[in-house]
Amino acid sequence: MNRAIGAYQTAATTVAPPAAVTLLLDEVLNAFVLAAGHMRNNEHEEAFTRVNRASGILRGLRQNVDLEYDLEMGHQLVDMYTRNIFAINMAYPAADAIEQFADLAEGLLEFRNSWAEMTTLAPRGLETLRNDILTERSVVDGLALVDTA
């Protein structure tokens, strides 16, 4: 957890806060994609590491919510982060974990894209993200991703 907080604090000092939050949420979404791939390959330690990374980033973001700026909004953000952390940790051992990751990613993607609107970062697409989580993919010639289904 300290690592996620440290990463957030480092990013916050070198990148504008909306961009830092957007990039950290990208890391959470990427962790879902990678965890799903590891789960499909029965690489449970690697999947667990990715799930912990996603939870850790959200814990770091939650810990850095400025409640003095807007108390009501701050409490809503803390609640949203807490619910997502809990949902991630409950999803991991479930038989339908990959589908749950896709559902969690959908909500976090909307939140991520809201932050991205305040930056020069492009929005991410829902369909692509869901496909990346739900579909087995492989690297061909080290360059391109293709569906294996």
Side-chain angles (χ1 to χ4, degrees):
M1 180 165 78
N2 289 335
R3 203 167 152 202
I5 293 167
Y8 174 81
Q9 290 170 338
T10 299
T13 61
T14 58
V15 177
V21 172
T22 303
L23 294 171
L24 287 166
L25 291 169
D26 275 335
E27 285 298 311
V28 171
L29 298 172
N30 294 341
F32 286 145
V33 172
L34 294 170
H38 289 305
M39 291 180 84
R40 274 190 292 278
N41 294 328
N42 290 317
E43 298 167 341
H44 298 289
E45 277 189 46
E46 292 87 351
F48 183 72
T49 298
R50 297 300 178 173
V51 168
N52 275 342
R53 176 156 175 75
S55 293
I57 290 169
L58 293 179
R59 282 193 306 271
L61 288 168
R62 179 182 63 187
Q63 238 177 325
N64 283 283
V65 170
D66 185 357
L67 295 173
E68 292 180 14
Y69 181 77
D70 183 330
L71 186 63
E72 184 178 343
M73 182 176 56
H75 281 298
Q76 289 175 351
L77 287 169
V78 167
D79 185 55
M80 184 273 303
Y81 287 129
T82 301
R83 288 175 186 267
N84 276 283
I85 292 164
F86 182 77
I88 291 167
N89 291 320
M90 293 302 295
Y92 173 70
D96 65 340
I98 294 172
E99 292 80 10
Q100 288 187 46
F101 290 159
D103 292 341
L104 287 165
E106 186 171 341
L108 287 170
L109 177 66
E110 184 177 338
F111 185 62
R112 179 258 180 225
N113 284 342
S114 295
W115 280 97
E117 287 178 10
M118 295 180 266
T119 72
T120 58
L121 297 169
R124 284 179 73 166
L126 175 60
E127 186 176 332
T128 301
L129 178 60
R130 285 190 66 87
N131 284 340
D132 286 346
I133 294 170
L134 295 171
T135 308
E136 185 173 342
R137 303 173 75 78
S138 64
V139 176
V140 176
D141 296 330
L143 300 173
L145 290 175
V146 296
D147 290 334
T148 59

